[in-house]
Amino acid sequence: MNSGERDTNKKDQLDEFFRNKPEWDRASFQAIESAIRSDLKPVRRLSGISLFALLFILAALAIVAAGACFLASHGWNALTPAARLSVFTVLALSAVLLAFALAQQMVPGSRVYWTTGFLFSIVSALILAICAAIFHIEANPHFLRSGLICLGVGTSFAIPAAILFATIAGRGVVLSRERAWPLGGMLAGLVGMTVLEIHCPILDLRHIAAWHFGIPLAGALTGYLFARQRAPE
Amino acid sequence: MLRYQEGGEWETTFLIERLSPELFRFFMAQQATRGEANDLLQDTWLRIHRVRHTYRAGAPLLPWVFAIARRVRIDAFRKRSRISRNEIVPDRLPERAGNEGKTGSTVPDIYQLMAVLPESQREVVTLLKINGLTLQEISRATGLTVGAVKQKASRAYATLREKLRAEGYGQ
């Protein structure tokens, strides 16, 4: 017997196995039908994923704009024009990727382009790469103190961003909290990081990598932990 | 599905009749008893009804339906796991339905053989071979990439063939 025949035999074997499918018990049909028909009314269909991604981005921009208004723009002023373009382009691109991925989580059965882990890796790599290219290690005698201040400031903008995103996402149905909440957390954290890049004048690479970038990471982790803790409805 | 969203009664009945057997088979193949499968089926339809506004015109229906069914099953399993920690397990568990009425069949019981597979592989194989979804549809329903779906299916087939061989079928 050659390998072609062997493969055919294997295929026939499995196909015959799967032909014996379990039969449906129609006993529950009446109960299902009457429960649904008793509550049958037209619904307003959900808008497209692109629209929700846009809403997430607009919400993020609104929070960042509020941060720019309320806080001084020391960070923005400390950067060269080229550095501003590079840093904020990468932050914007990362936000767009996360916003689209989060919008997809609102609709069951959406197309899968990347896994959540791969997306996090891409976003993290992009941000860290641009930080390494733009910023350098500088003297920072108050590393911990300045870091905690930045952490507080960034988080105070990330939290309202997270609330806004959750409100927008509530229009859809998030089936996988373990995927959606870390995405939302990271996006909210990115909002906080963007506010810090505008406000914080410290250009020390270690400070930015640990305390500014730490906010999206903390947001993703917080989202994941909350998702794991939350009991199913 | 669009007419169901608009409140069409006949279309609703047709949808339930058309999809329920596939959903039932999906749950049974995931090692549920008949009673559990019926409960999961009812829960799935209630959730489908609650979130029917999220189905978008032109999108494939089966991935949408099975994504919801998967979640219902996972949530029920987690809830049951929490409850069972405080319960006394009976010595004799409810029987799972086999291929009744197929006396004399030389093909092994589908549930018993699928039980050897890890949950994620069993799910992929169920959707592929029992429910007839394409790889792309399974990717959408499970949130896995198409590559990951192919890999799980390939591994599952290898395991099932080995199991069939070990039990002396198809020699």
PDB file of all heavy atoms in Angstrom, chain B residues 150-168:
ATOM      1  N   LYS B 150      -5.956  25.384  12.077  1.00  0.00           N
ATOM      2  CA  LYS B 150      -5.429  24.263  11.280  1.00  0.00           C
ATOM      3  C   LYS B 150      -4.554  23.361  12.137  1.00  0.00           C
ATOM      4  O   LYS B 150      -4.630  22.125  12.066  1.00  0.00           O
ATOM      5  CB  LYS B 150      -4.572  24.791  10.132  1.00  0.00           C
ATOM      6  CG  LYS B 150      -5.332  25.253   8.925  1.00  0.00           C
ATOM      7  CD  LYS B 150      -4.343  25.638   7.817  1.00  0.00           C
ATOM      8  CE  LYS B 150      -5.045  26.391   6.722  1.00  0.00           C
ATOM      9  NZ  LYS B 150      -4.107  26.956   5.747  1.00  0.00           N
ATOM     10  N   GLN B 151      -3.749  23.989  12.962  1.00  0.00           N
ATOM     11  CA  GLN B 151      -2.825  23.223  13.801  1.00  0.00           C
ATOM     12  C   GLN B 151      -3.593  22.359  14.786  1.00  0.00           C
ATOM     13  O   GLN B 151      -3.283  21.169  14.977  1.00  0.00           O
ATOM     14  CB  GLN B 151      -1.912  24.191  14.540  1.00  0.00           C
ATOM     15  CG  GLN B 151      -0.737  23.516  15.222  1.00  0.00           C
ATOM     16  CD  GLN B 151       0.118  24.542  15.939  1.00  0.00           C
ATOM     17  OE1 GLN B 151      -0.362  25.245  16.818  1.00  0.00           O
ATOM     18  NE2 GLN B 151       1.383  24.618  15.590  1.00  0.00           N
ATOM     19  N   LYS B 152      -4.604  22.941  15.409  1.00  0.00           N
ATOM     20  CA  LYS B 152      -5.393  22.177  16.387  1.00  0.00           C
ATOM     21  C   LYS B 152      -6.127  21.031  15.705  1.00  0.00           C
ATOM     22  O   LYS B 152      -6.195  19.918  16.230  1.00  0.00           O
ATOM     23  CB  LYS B 152      -6.392  23.098  17.092  1.00  0.00           C
ATOM     24  CG  LYS B 152      -5.753  24.028  18.101  1.00  0.00           C
ATOM     25  CD  LYS B 152      -6.779  24.836  18.871  1.00  0.00           C
ATOM     26  CE  LYS B 152      -6.110  25.908  19.712  1.00  0.00           C
ATOM     27  NZ  LYS B 152      -5.285  25.375  20.800  1.00  0.00           N
ATOM     28  N   ALA B 153      -6.672  21.291  14.529  1.00  0.00           N
ATOM     29  CA  ALA B 153      -7.397  20.245  13.809  1.00  0.00           C
ATOM     30  C   ALA B 153      -6.445  19.106  13.439  1.00  0.00           C
ATOM     31  O   ALA B 153      -6.777  17.928  13.611  1.00  0.00           O
ATOM     32  CB  ALA B 153      -8.044  20.822  12.551  1.00  0.00           C
ATOM     33  N   SER B 154      -5.275  19.468  12.946  1.00  0.00           N
ATOM     34  CA  SER B 154      -4.302  18.463  12.528  1.00  0.00           C
ATOM     35  C   SER B 154      -3.908  17.571  13.702  1.00  0.00           C
ATOM     36  O   SER B 154      -3.844  16.335  13.586  1.00  0.00           O
ATOM     37  CB  SER B 154      -3.089  19.181  11.945  1.00  0.00           C
ATOM     38  OG  SER B 154      -2.066  18.281  11.654  1.00  0.00           O
ATOM     39  N   ARG B 155      -3.653  18.192  14.840  1.00  0.00           N
ATOM     40  CA  ARG B 155      -3.264  17.423  16.025  1.00  0.00           C
ATOM     41  C   ARG B 155      -4.412  16.547  16.510  1.00  0.00           C
ATOM     42  O   ARG B 155      -4.197  15.397  16.922  1.00  0.00           O
ATOM     43  CB  ARG B 155      -2.816  18.366  17.139  1.00  0.00           C
ATOM     44  CG  ARG B 155      -1.477  18.994  16.877  1.00  0.00           C
ATOM     45  CD  ARG B 155      -1.061  19.946  17.969  1.00  0.00           C
ATOM     46  NE  ARG B 155       0.235  20.536  17.662  1.00  0.00           N
ATOM     47  CZ  ARG B 155       0.750  21.576  18.270  1.00  0.00           C
ATOM     48  NH1 ARG B 155       0.085  22.167  19.241  1.00  0.00           N
ATOM     49  NH2 ARG B 155       1.927  22.058  17.922  1.00  0.00           N
ATOM     50  N   ALA B 156      -5.600  17.091  16.429  1.00  0.00           N
ATOM     51  CA  ALA B 156      -6.765  16.320  16.875  1.00  0.00           C
ATOM     52  C   ALA B 156      -6.974  15.094  15.990  1.00  0.00           C
ATOM     53  O   ALA B 156      -7.245  13.996  16.480  1.00  0.00           O
ATOM     54  CB  ALA B 156      -8.011  17.201  16.847  1.00  0.00           C
ATOM     55  N   TYR B 157      -6.839  15.272  14.679  1.00  0.00           N
ATOM     56  CA  TYR B 157      -7.023  14.140  13.769  1.00  0.00           C
ATOM     57  C   TYR B 157      -6.001  13.044  14.067  1.00  0.00           C
ATOM     58  O   TYR B 157      -6.322  11.856  14.055  1.00  0.00           O
ATOM     59  CB  TYR B 157      -6.867  14.578  12.301  1.00  0.00           C
ATOM     60  CG  TYR B 157      -7.939  15.496  11.810  1.00  0.00           C
ATOM     61  CD1 TYR B 157      -7.688  16.405  10.787  1.00  0.00           C
ATOM     62  CD2 TYR B 157      -9.222  15.479  12.355  1.00  0.00           C
ATOM     63  CE1 TYR B 157      -8.662  17.265  10.327  1.00  0.00           C
ATOM     64  CE2 TYR B 157     -10.199  16.338  11.900  1.00  0.00           C
ATOM     65  CZ  TYR B 157      -9.910  17.223  10.886  1.00  0.00           C
ATOM     66  OH  TYR B 157     -10.886  18.082  10.434  1.00  0.00           O
ATOM     67  N   ALA B 158      -4.756  13.482  14.313  1.00  0.00           N
ATOM     68  CA  ALA B 158      -3.705  12.501  14.596  1.00  0.00           C
ATOM     69  C   ALA B 158      -4.055  11.710  15.852  1.00  0.00           C
ATOM     70  O   ALA B 158      -3.903  10.479  15.897  1.00  0.00           O
ATOM     71  CB  ALA B 158      -2.368  13.212  14.757  1.00  0.00           C
ATOM     72  N   THR B 159      -4.540  12.408  16.872  1.00  0.00           N
ATOM     73  CA  THR B 159      -4.910  11.747  18.122  1.00  0.00           C
ATOM     74  C   THR B 159      -6.075  10.786  17.908  1.00  0.00           C
ATOM     75  O   THR B 159      -6.078   9.650  18.406  1.00  0.00           O
ATOM     76  CB  THR B 159      -5.305  12.788  19.189  1.00  0.00           C
ATOM     77  OG1 THR B 159      -4.230  13.711  19.350  1.00  0.00           O
ATOM     78  CG2 THR B 159      -5.638  12.132  20.514  1.00  0.00           C
ATOM     79  N   LEU B 160      -7.069  11.233  17.149  1.00  0.00           N
ATOM     80  CA  LEU B 160      -8.249  10.394  16.918  1.00  0.00           C
ATOM     81  C   LEU B 160      -7.890   9.146  16.101  1.00  0.00           C
ATOM     82  O   LEU B 160      -8.370   8.051  16.377  1.00  0.00           O
ATOM     83  CB  LEU B 160      -9.340  11.196  16.194  1.00  0.00           C
ATOM     84  CG  LEU B 160     -10.042  12.261  17.031  1.00  0.00           C
ATOM     85  CD1 LEU B 160     -10.970  13.107  16.181  1.00  0.00           C
ATOM     86  CD2 LEU B 160     -10.812  11.626  18.182  1.00  0.00           C
ATOM     87  N   ARG B 161      -7.021   9.312  15.107  1.00  0.00           N
ATOM     88  CA  ARG B 161      -6.604   8.158  14.304  1.00  0.00           C
ATOM     89  C   ARG B 161      -5.883   7.142  15.175  1.00  0.00           C
ATOM     90  O   ARG B 161      -6.088   5.935  15.052  1.00  0.00           O
ATOM     91  CB  ARG B 161      -5.687   8.599  13.166  1.00  0.00           C
ATOM     92  CG  ARG B 161      -6.404   9.249  12.038  1.00  0.00           C
ATOM     93  CD  ARG B 161      -5.496   9.403  10.819  1.00  0.00           C
ATOM     94  NE  ARG B 161      -6.070  10.390   9.936  1.00  0.00           N
ATOM     95  CZ  ARG B 161      -5.654  11.636   9.796  1.00  0.00           C
ATOM     96  NH1 ARG B 161      -4.604  12.056  10.460  1.00  0.00           N
ATOM     97  NH2 ARG B 161      -6.264  12.470   8.976  1.00  0.00           N
ATOM     98  N   GLU B 162      -5.039   7.659  16.039  1.00  0.00           N
ATOM     99  CA  GLU B 162      -4.289   6.790  16.930  1.00  0.00           C
ATOM    100  C   GLU B 162      -5.242   6.043  17.844  1.00  0.00           C
ATOM    101  O   GLU B 162      -5.070   4.842  18.097  1.00  0.00           O
ATOM    102  CB  GLU B 162      -3.314   7.651  17.746  1.00  0.00           C
ATOM    103  CG  GLU B 162      -2.202   6.892  18.438  1.00  0.00           C
ATOM    104  CD  GLU B 162      -1.456   5.977  17.507  1.00  0.00           C
ATOM    105  OE1 GLU B 162      -1.037   6.413  16.412  1.00  0.00           O
ATOM    106  OE2 GLU B 162      -1.324   4.787  17.845  1.00  0.00           O
ATOM    107  N   LYS B 163      -6.228   6.751  18.336  1.00  0.00           N
ATOM    108  CA  LYS B 163      -7.216   6.143  19.234  1.00  0.00           C
ATOM    109  C   LYS B 163      -8.023   5.084  18.495  1.00  0.00           C
ATOM    110  O   LYS B 163      -8.268   3.992  19.008  1.00  0.00           O
ATOM    111  CB  LYS B 163      -8.138   7.258  19.764  1.00  0.00           C
ATOM    112  CG  LYS B 163      -9.227   6.792  20.698  1.00  0.00           C
ATOM    113  CD  LYS B 163      -8.732   6.655  22.117  1.00  0.00           C
ATOM    114  CE  LYS B 163      -9.923   6.359  23.021  1.00  0.00           C
ATOM    115  NZ  LYS B 163      -9.549   5.727  24.261  1.00  0.00           N
ATOM    116  N   LEU B 164      -8.423   5.392  17.266  1.00  0.00           N
ATOM    117  CA  LEU B 164      -9.183   4.419  16.476  1.00  0.00           C
ATOM    118  C   LEU B 164      -8.334   3.180  16.226  1.00  0.00           C
ATOM    119  O   LEU B 164      -8.803   2.047  16.312  1.00  0.00           O
ATOM    120  CB  LEU B 164      -9.616   5.038  15.140  1.00  0.00           C
ATOM    121  CG  LEU B 164     -10.790   6.018  15.181  1.00  0.00           C
ATOM    122  CD1 LEU B 164     -10.965   6.711  13.839  1.00  0.00           C
ATOM    123  CD2 LEU B 164     -12.072   5.300  15.565  1.00  0.00           C
ATOM    124  N   ARG B 165      -7.064   3.407  15.921  1.00  0.00           N
ATOM    125  CA  ARG B 165      -6.160   2.291  15.666  1.00  0.00           C
ATOM    126  C   ARG B 165      -5.989   1.443  16.920  1.00  0.00           C
ATOM    127  O   ARG B 165      -6.015   0.222  16.870  1.00  0.00           O
ATOM    128  CB  ARG B 165      -4.810   2.826  15.196  1.00  0.00           C
ATOM    129  CG  ARG B 165      -4.016   1.829  14.409  1.00  0.00           C
ATOM    130  CD  ARG B 165      -2.758   2.396  13.728  1.00  0.00           C
ATOM    131  NE  ARG B 165      -2.358   3.691  14.133  1.00  0.00           N
ATOM    132  CZ  ARG B 165      -2.374   4.757  13.329  1.00  0.00           C
ATOM    133  NH1 ARG B 165      -2.822   4.667  12.109  1.00  0.00           N
ATOM    134  NH2 ARG B 165      -1.945   5.935  13.762  1.00  0.00           N
ATOM    135  N   ALA B 166      -5.852   2.113  18.054  1.00  0.00           N
ATOM    136  CA  ALA B 166      -5.661   1.407  19.328  1.00  0.00           C
ATOM    137  C   ALA B 166      -6.879   0.571  19.681  1.00  0.00           C
ATOM    138  O   ALA B 166      -6.755  -0.491  20.308  1.00  0.00           O
ATOM    139  CB  ALA B 166      -5.375   2.433  20.444  1.00  0.00           C
ATOM    140  N   GLU B 167      -8.052   1.055  19.254  1.00  0.00           N
ATOM    141  CA  GLU B 167      -9.269   0.308  19.590  1.00  0.00           C
ATOM    142  C   GLU B 167      -9.636  -0.702  18.520  1.00  0.00           C
ATOM    143  O   GLU B 167     -10.686  -1.335  18.578  1.00  0.00           O
ATOM    144  CB  GLU B 167     -10.418   1.304  19.818  1.00  0.00           C
ATOM    145  CG  GLU B 167     -10.127   2.217  20.996  1.00  0.00           C
ATOM    146  CD  GLU B 167     -11.358   2.821  21.617  1.00  0.00           C
ATOM    147  OE1 GLU B 167     -12.457   2.631  21.100  1.00  0.00           O
ATOM    148  OE2 GLU B 167     -11.194   3.507  22.639  1.00  0.00           O
ATOM    149  N   GLY B 168      -8.787  -0.760  17.492  1.00  0.00           N
ATOM    150  CA  GLY B 168      -8.962  -1.820  16.492  1.00  0.00           C
ATOM    151  C   GLY B 168      -9.953  -1.500  15.402  1.00  0.00           C
ATOM    152  O   GLY B 168     -10.411  -2.413  14.703  1.00  0.00           O
TER     153      GLY B 168
END
